[in-house]
Amino acid sequence: MTTLLEILHQVKKGHCSIDEALQKLQLQPPETIEEACLDHQRSLRTGMPEVVYGASKSVDQIVAISTSLLKNGDVLLVTRVDEEKAKEILAKLPELEYHQKASILCGNPRALDTDKCRGKVLVICAGTSDIPVAEEARVTLASLGQPVEPLYDVGVAGLHRILNNQPLLTQASVIIVVAGMEGALPSVVGGLVSAPVIGVPTSIGYGANLGGFTALLGMLNSCAPGLAVVNIDNGFGAACMALAINRA
Amino acid sequence: MTTLLEILHQVKKGHCSIDEALQKLQLQPPETIEEACLDHQRSLRTGMPEVVYGASKSVDQIVAISTSLLKNGDVLLVTRVDEEKAKEILAKLPELEYHQKASILCGNPRALDTDKCRGKVLVICAGTSDIPVAEEARVTLASLGQPVEPLYDVGVAGLHRILNNQPLLTQASVIIVVAGMEGALPSVVGGLVSAPVIGVPTSIGYGANLGGFTALLGMLNSCAPGLAVVNIDNGFGAACMALAINRA
Amino acid sequence: MTTLLEILHQVKKGHCSIDEALQKLQLQPPETIEEACLDHQRSLRTGMPEVVYGASKSVDQIVAISTSLLKNGDVLLVTRVDEEKAKEILAKLPELEYHQKASILCGNPRALDTDKCRGKVLVICAGTSDIPVAEEARVTLASLGQPVEPLYDVGVAGLHRILNNQPLLTQASVIIVVAGMEGALPSVVGGLVSAPVIGVPTSIGYGANLGGFTALLGMLNSCAPGLAVVNIDNGFGAACMALAINRA
Amino acid sequence: MTTLLEILHQVKKGHCSIDEALQKLQLQPPETIEEACLDHQRSLRTGMPEVVYGASKSVDQIVAISTSLLKNGDVLLVTRVDEEKAKEILAKLPELEYHQKASILCGNPRALDTDKCRGKVLVICAGTSDIPVAEEARVTLASLGQPVEPLYDVGVAGLHRILNNQPLLTQASVIIVVAGMEGALPSVVGGLVSAPVIGVPTSIGYGANLGGFTALLGMLNSCAPGLAVVNIDNGFGAACMALAINRA
Amino acid sequence: MTTLLEILHQVKKGHCSIDEALQKLQLQPPETIEEACLDHQRSLRTGMPEVVYGASKSVDQIVAISTSLLKNGDVLLVTRVDEEKAKEILAKLPELEYHQKASILCGNPRALDTDKCRGKVLVICAGTSDIPVAEEARVTLASLGQPVEPLYDVGVAGLHRILNNQPLLTQASVIIVVAGMEGALPSVVGGLVSAPVIGVPTSIGYGANLGGFTALLGMLNSCAPGLAVVNIDNGFGAACMALAINRA
Amino acid sequence: MTTLLEILHQVKKGHCSIDEALQKLQLQPPETIEEACLDHQRSLRTGMPEVVYGASKSVDQIVAISTSLLKNGDVLLVTRVDEEKAKEILAKLPELEYHQKASILCGNPRALDTDKCRGKVLVICAGTSDIPVAEEARVTLASLGQPVEPLYDVGVAGLHRILNNQPLLTQASVIIVVAGMEGALPSVVGGLVSAPVIGVPTSIGYGANLGGFTALLGMLNSCAPGLAVVNIDNGFGAACMALAINRA
Amino acid sequence: MTTLLEILHQVKKGHCSIDEALQKLQLQPPETIEEACLDHQRSLRTGMPEVVYGASKSVDQIVAISTSLLKNGDVLLVTRVDEEKAKEILAKLPELEYHQKASILCGNPRALDTDKCRGKVLVICAGTSDIPVAEEARVTLASLGQPVEPLYDVGVAGLHRILNNQPLLTQASVIIVVAGMEGALPSVVGGLVSAPVIGVPTSIGYGANLGGFTALLGMLNSCAPGLAVVNIDNGFGAACMALAINRA
Amino acid sequence: MTTLLEILHQVKKGHCSIDEALQKLQLQPPETIEEACLDHQRSLRTGMPEVVYGASKSVDQIVAISTSLLKNGDVLLVTRVDEEKAKEILAKLPELEYHQKASILCGNPRALDTDKCRGKVLVICAGTSDIPVAEEARVTLASLGQPVEPLYDVGVAGLHRILNNQPLLTQASVIIVVAGMEGALPSVVGGLVSAPVIGVPTSIGYGANLGGFTALLGMLNSCAPGLAVVNIDNGFGAACMALAINRA
């Protein structure tokens, strides 16, 4: 199998046109490790590196897959890693950094490069309980080289908290709004700005919150224009969407 | 069967103490008409007259029951009567008045008596499509002698519409907030006032609005204090709750 | 930032009218502590102090936020605090009181002031398993200076238990009815009184109780007038609604 | 194929023991008519004749099947037949009787035979809108020779209506309770009697009534002992259960 | 308060007619113990003693309530008691008996009295995992003096298991059928017998079994006549219904 | 664009290997007609021709698409065509045949070729109301050249109807079982045979049948081995699965 | 009330700074027409004009509101207008244009101005039945001056249809993917591109499609990065999000 | 009771025809062990041995039932056995083999006999988290003597992974596709092959994945022909269906 390196060498030497190389890379067979079928070329196709979903993987699986992905030289992100699991992984891969509130392990973070960005991403959350999901979005974006700023605990029950921050809102190029319970904050934000708004419902709440479905449904039915929604608690997915939008 | 009239005569003559009369009235067997078992004493127990739910009744049933209830002398309310049915009933009971937007037929409306009220009830709705439900609440309250004022089409996607009306909000003794889609308006109102707020979700919307369940769930999960909720599209129920609260 | 104290001094000295002060306070930027954005003025706007939802917060977060809120001088309520967590917090804030059945930590309870109340709040529950939710409502109200009386384990399967207490029912100014399983008790109570009734469904039951949704749906569909509903297990929310209603 | 008649003749002549006959009859191949596979022996096995569910059948199908079943000599019941369809069928089968409120066509009704019954079946319903379902139960039982008595429009919002009828309740051998909306009436009745209670939820209501699921869930979660439930709007099924119980 | 004993003495001495006594007992105020409002007269009204639902009660609560109820002299049943809790209770109330598979604690079981019964109750279950629910029904009935027989692990995937037992089926006066997964067994049994059939769905299964809702829905939609259903896993409720039916 | 014909000519002349032809055909751009993107090669890839879902298409769209597909020479199937629409289409395409019970329009039916089949497909349904769905499956299979036999109205409430037909069951190579209401029939059939069983839930029923979801869930949770399920009312999908299985 | 015109004049004359004007306009009280509270400044805040949701409005309401909005000079969009209603409106407002497949009435469409756009928006749909929703998105974008291109009927059951169009995919700056049934197409597209993808589930399908919820849930759970979702059938909402993203 | 052995001896000696033997065996009463009613003849009827569902059984129950079934001489499968339970059982039944990823205990595996098979079964899964379900299917099939091959971690977000393996797809006689999250993989596979496809939704995912229902619904609504579905996480059920199909 021709490796990424070989293809790039061929391109440099003129043995392969850029178009041919792109074609090859996009069709290149994936690498198989520990029953995982790694897709090293995803970054080329979608601009997002392959990210490891840590919740359903063992420490050994994460270490093996991370080691393979780190060889690529691109940023490594492992999401949904609790503190205990993180410690064990860090013992074997000390070059990684653990973001505790975000439950993310990161290696080779991309440097901030504002030239390649349209502007700053704003990550808002409604209550303090929503912060872990907001941090998953914020850390993902920061690790991918995006300028990003948090604005937390500004829910609709005290409207002046969000109204006092209107300059922040109008300057952002993309806004991620994280909210549980009734999920009303994205509607309010969406009515105040012209930037695209990404709603992230969280499972925070109890009783009739239906594990986050109430917030999800509320955001989907929002009357505010320019609002789209990702899965419950999916801060990572919101970051991906924001990244896709924020590319210059 | 001793009638209401006879009991009141006995009270007047001193043949029956007020306590006994109250007792009797509350236990008095209901009248049976057209298979309906009329509860003439409901007003004595709960302050609300027996109201006729018109949606599942024929013109003949409504006319028969209305005729019987009108003899009581108290206000008559028939809810959920569409325009066509209303015309047929009015042909037989021309003393009734039809409120078309509210789909309510009313007879013997109670006179406005502000002395018996704590203050003014404010009925708010989020969008123009929510007006029929808001009107069901407003007309019910007005017919029962309550001071009531509407404030319509002030949803959260244009926040200044509600913020511009803050004096109205702070002066109300009870506030009914009618909203469909994401149902966020009661949360916003609840965060601005100290009066009790009654949320009425509506079935307005489409797709994931679940026939009003999305708005209902949103209101139940609101983080705003002092907010309680009634059934979807139940403007009448909200009016009953407001009446119970607004008694002086 | 002008503090609450300064504003009050200015009012006292006549440097600021009461209207101006109210305006200022309602717009005053919130204080940021431990990522929480404290809304010290909520009590001014809504009559309810900012209450801490303890379930999703750590001991350290609760201690920090409580310390800040206690400086306000108003009552402090921390809800959903289990016994173990309560012990740790009490070790650091011994001036608080723990209500074990209600899972509430309270500081600076407001004194009972019946002059500012319309009457007594009655808290009813259907079964012994519903008591924790009923106590959350009762303790919240008592801590906020409201007269409140419990009537527990009087479900509809033995109707005489509620019928024997009709005097209590008719004297209350507001009634909170807590019930799980089929949630039928608020309908029965609502048919007996003219006071506003607040239904609180609980998650008590099994099988087709759907975690409290069965009771919630039953209460929302009640044919009794003057009944509104709060979220499942939300004794605190019912207390807020009762407080809003019971103000003289 | 040996017919029912032949088998009975053989029994009479002693060519076949009763046990053998029973065995044969229960295994006898069904008759095929208009793609329907008629089960003439169902009555022998279960005590219930094969009943025709009219809602999804054409006039021609109903006439053909009814004609075949009438030959059996047993009672014929066709349920869920609207008025228009009934007229067309009666034109062809004038010996049938149409019960309009129950939407049932009946032929060869069984005579009332109280000796074969344990007692009287009581059919209760909560509101006037529930009457069609209650009538489906009542007419089915009456047509099958059961003594049955109605008690309609006695819902829980006016408790005295049911409490005034306690003698009727305590004398019944089986009680069918039909209720929509919150479905609380079976719980109340179940707490007052020792007879078995069959709950029938109806689809009456709106908003969060979920087409009858709210009432169904309420009844399933009832804390009253001796209560079982049938499908939404299934008056016929309740009658079958009552018949099975009421056999002497 | 006049006690049960006093009333019975008055009856014996002729100071009180039987009708008066019955009236008194049914209206007698309940006893309040540990916040439980005990309904000693339930047995008189409904034929079922007050049964303790053990799942949500502490050992101390169960011991206190049981001690009070045992004084009545009637059978004591505490359901949903796991093995560990049972041990602690037995240490304090050694006169009780623990039925481990049924998770029931029983005191003063009623003696078998076939004269007061219509016949034998048959308790069927579909799979071995359904046995705990079936045993809850069987032990409840046996403790209440009913003749009862089990027939377990005879699900529809091997039809001959149920067909081989047809004599048992046809001799029973009531049949309880317990089944999880698709819940098809009650339909099959209902098609074979004329006795009333009580379906008990169980939460056994996984994936799309929805915690027993699939079996519940299947039983509610059964085309078999003479079938009614109780809540998921509610063996106790099925026993109550069977008892109500099986009284001679 | 190279047509199917040209490719086959090239193969015949040896200008193109069979492998190359297959490759080409599978990658051949689809034809665009009336905004539909026709996939003429689907039959080559999957063995099923492109079938037209008639429910959401106008008469003109169906005529245009059918005309294009008929040129292919393969069988044409248009499903979910009601009688009125069928008449209009037949007026323009008289060479088609309309199967009224199945609501299918067919052109160029494939001839029965038992050599290419493993055996006979048996289509069973539980009640007469399920026949339209069963016929959709049967007509689809027959039009595709499969041997297929119906066995209708043999539901579990009269078990002998299915037990009497056991030889039919054991001889079939694939069995499609169509059932509404509780959907128990596939479990019973699955327990009697070794052939693969395809369950088709139908929307037949009312109340808690949830538009067919009850039957669907029942079949998914069946304890019978060798059973898989298709969408509600999807007789066509069951036929596709049966065809895929029955190929020799 | 100061009008928009006056403010702009003041700006021109220097009597009002641009910042002040912006401030004023955003807080300007809305105009009230036919109970609708028009938000003329929405376009200033969010870049989207106020759009009229036609489904729940009468012809008269639409004409009145449209007339008022047209005075603003900005584009007018009325969505969800069926053909019959459109005719009546066009009779009164002949300057509007009706897009029949999209069910949209448009006045004053914005001219295409590619300088203000990042690139071309691609609107993809899976099947021909999804076209009306796709057209709602496409017409909305085109009317707002966006370059937009359709790619219809390219669902996943024939993958080559989408793979053959990869150049179109990689050149788009935003992609809207409309799909019903299982809603798999956005996952496939999201795995092929780096542009942001907006998924629009449709209610197309039957049986277990749950009115579009199946497609909605599928898209929310997609493993593809850079994908966010709007409400079922909400082509308009997708267009708003795409517009917010596509601004240069 | 005549045992299996005796019947076979009678056949050998000619005392019983093969037809008679088959008949007997299929009706033979099941053996009762530990309250389980073992169906030794299931394999004769359905080709599948009785398989033990280990999740809800104790170690002792599994050992007793396994010992009885092993005497039959046929393969023994115990599914859903976690590692800890497996160890305890292996200590008592060391002849069993434990497949850890599949959570299956196996005894007497059937030898691979390709003559009795139509071809190779292919087991595909979308992500690494789906492997346990895929392995349950693969190990079941291998233990039953079927040729089976895995193809794991080839989800739709990187389409080339599945497209690169098209030869494997086209050669399989049956394909099992295991997928969680949006469950789109079976649709893609179903569009590429003519073999029957069995979809297995898994509970892998979070938020709006609804415990696997999202994937289940997606597969049921797939537009791909020749696809049927089994319960969530039911790798075993898929294997049974594949076995029924793959018999030569």
Side-chain angles (χ1 to χ4, degrees), chain A residues 166 170 192, chain B residues 160 164, chain G residues 20-29 39 41 44-46:
Chain A
Q166 229 161 334
T170 42
L192 296 170
Chain B
H160 57 297
N164 281 347
Chain G
E20 285 167 341
L22 206 65
Q23 185 77 7
K24 275 183 190 175
L25 290 166
Q26 288 181 359
L27 298 177
Q28 207 181 18
D39 186 1
Q41 283 66 45
L44 283 162
R45 285 198 322 277
T46 68

Side-chain angles (χ1 to χ4, degrees), chain A residues 118, chain G residues 116-119 121 146-147 173-174 242-248:
Chain A
R118 299 179 77 187
Chain G
K116 291 194 182 151
C117 300
R118 301 179 76 187
V121 182
Q146 299 288 310
S173 57
V174 195
L243 175 70
I245 295 170
N246 205 38
R247 282 197 195 94

Side-chain angles (χ1 to χ4, degrees), chain E residues 156-158 161 181-182, chain F residues 186-198 219-228, chain H residues 39 42-43 45-51 140 144 230 234 236-245 247:
Chain E
V156 298
R161 296 185 296 191
M181 303 176 83
E182 80 270 57
Chain F
S187 287
V188 166
V189 171
L192 296 170
V193 302
S194 62
V197 175
I198 303 164
M219 294 181 191
L220 285 167
N221 286 277
S222 171
C223 47
L227 169 62
Chain H
D39 186 2
R42 180 170 294 177
S43 189
R45 283 199 323 277
T46 68
M48 273 296 298
E50 176 147 44
V51 172
T140 298
L144 294 167
V230 297
N234 193 5
F236 170 71
C240 293
M241 184 71 181
L243 175 69
I245 295 171
R247 281 196 197 96

Side-chain angles (χ1 to χ4, degrees), chain A residues 14-91:
Chain A
H15 297 177
C16 166
S17 76
I18 282 176
D19 274 11
E20 283 167 341
L22 205 66
Q23 185 77 9
K24 275 184 191 178
L25 290 168
Q26 288 181 359
L27 298 177
Q28 209 181 16
E31 181 188 1
T32 300
I33 282 233
E34 284 274 317
E35 286 176 327
C37 189
L38 300 184
D39 186 2
H40 291 308
Q41 283 67 42
R42 180 169 293 178
S43 190
L44 283 162
R45 284 199 322 277
T46 69
M48 274 296 297
E50 177 146 44
V51 172
V52 185
Y53 180 64
S56 59
K57 298 202 177 61
S58 69
V59 167
D60 286 351
Q61 286 177 309
I62 293 174
V63 169
I65 295 173
S66 298
T67 306
S68 163
L69 288 171
L70 282 168
K71 287 185 203 145
N72 250 1
D74 198 357
V75 56
L76 169 77
L77 285 170
V78 191
T79 62
R80 308 276 167 119
V81 182
D82 62 39
E83 212 159 353
E84 193 181 3
K85 210 189 258 186
K87 268 188 204 159
E88 295 183 56
I89 296 167
L90 286 171

Side-chain angles (χ1 to χ4, degrees), chain F:
Chain F
M1 184 182 117
T2 325
T3 68
L4 178 57
L5 212 71
E6 290 168 324
I7 294 170
L8 295 178
H9 277 298
Q10 290 169 0
V11 171
K12 203 176 165 189
K13 294 177 193 161
H15 299 176
C16 166
S17 77
I18 282 177
D19 274 12
E20 284 168 341
L22 206 66
Q23 186 77 9
K24 275 185 192 175
L25 290 167
Q26 289 181 358
L27 297 178
Q28 207 180 16
E31 180 187 2
T32 300
I33 282 232
E34 286 276 315
E35 283 178 331
C37 188
L38 300 184
D39 186 1
H40 292 305
Q41 283 67 45
R42 182 170 290 176
S43 189
L44 283 162
R45 286 199 320 277
T46 69
M48 273 297 296
E50 177 146 43
V51 172
V52 184
Y53 179 64
S56 60
K57 296 200 178 61
S58 68
V59 166
D60 286 350
Q61 286 178 310
I62 293 175
V63 169
I65 296 173
S66 297
T67 305
S68 164
L69 287 170
L70 282 168
K71 287 187 203 142
N72 250 1
D74 198 355
V75 56
L76 167 79
L77 285 171
V78 191
T79 63
R80 307 277 168 119
V81 182
D82 61 39
E83 213 160 351
E84 193 182 3
K85 212 189 256 184
K87 267 188 206 157
E88 295 183 54
I89 297 168
L90 285 172
K92 300 186 180 180
L93 294 173
E95 66 269 39
L96 302 187
E97 184 182 7
Y98 184 57
H99 301 265
Q100 184 243 326
K101 278 183 194 162
S103 299
I104 285 180
L105 275 169
C106 178
N108 293 340
R110 293 186 188 163
L112 178 64
D113 183 354
T114 51
D115 284 0
K116 290 194 182 151
C117 299
R118 300 179 77 186
K120 192 181 279 186
V121 181
L122 184 63
V123 179
I124 301 180
C125 80
T128 54
S129 308
D130 301 317
I131 290 177
V133 177
E135 281 290 291
E136 188 179 90
R138 195 192 61 75
V139 169
T140 299
L141 283 163
S143 305
L144 294 167
Q146 298 288 310
V148 55
E149 180 160 348
L151 177 61
Y152 292 170
D153 196 21
V154 294
V156 299
L159 265 190
H160 56 297
R161 296 185 296 191
I162 191 83
L163 295 177
N164 281 347
N165 283 291
Q166 230 161 335
L168 264 180
L169 296 177
T170 42
Q171 287 155 19
S173 57
V174 195
I175 302 179
I176 292 172
V177 187
V178 179
M181 301 177 86
E182 81 271 57
L185 190 55
S187 287
V188 166
V189 171
L192 296 170
V193 302
S194 62
V197 175
I198 303 164
V200 190
T202 73
S203 54
I204 293 304
Y206 59 92
N209 84 318
L210 292 171
F213 256 89
T214 292
L216 170 61
L217 292 166
M219 294 181 191
L220 285 167
N221 286 277
S222 171
C223 47
L227 169 62
V229 185
V230 296
N231 198 359
I232 297 163
D233 291 337
N234 192 5
F236 170 71
C240 294
M241 184 72 179
L243 175 71
I245 295 170
N246 204 39
R247 283 198 195 93

Side-chain angles (χ1 to χ4, degrees), chain D residues 17-31:
Chain D
S17 76
I18 282 176
D19 274 11
E20 285 167 341
L22 205 66
Q23 185 77 9
K24 275 183 189 177
L25 290 166
Q26 290 181 358
L27 298 178
Q28 207 181 15
E31 181 187 0

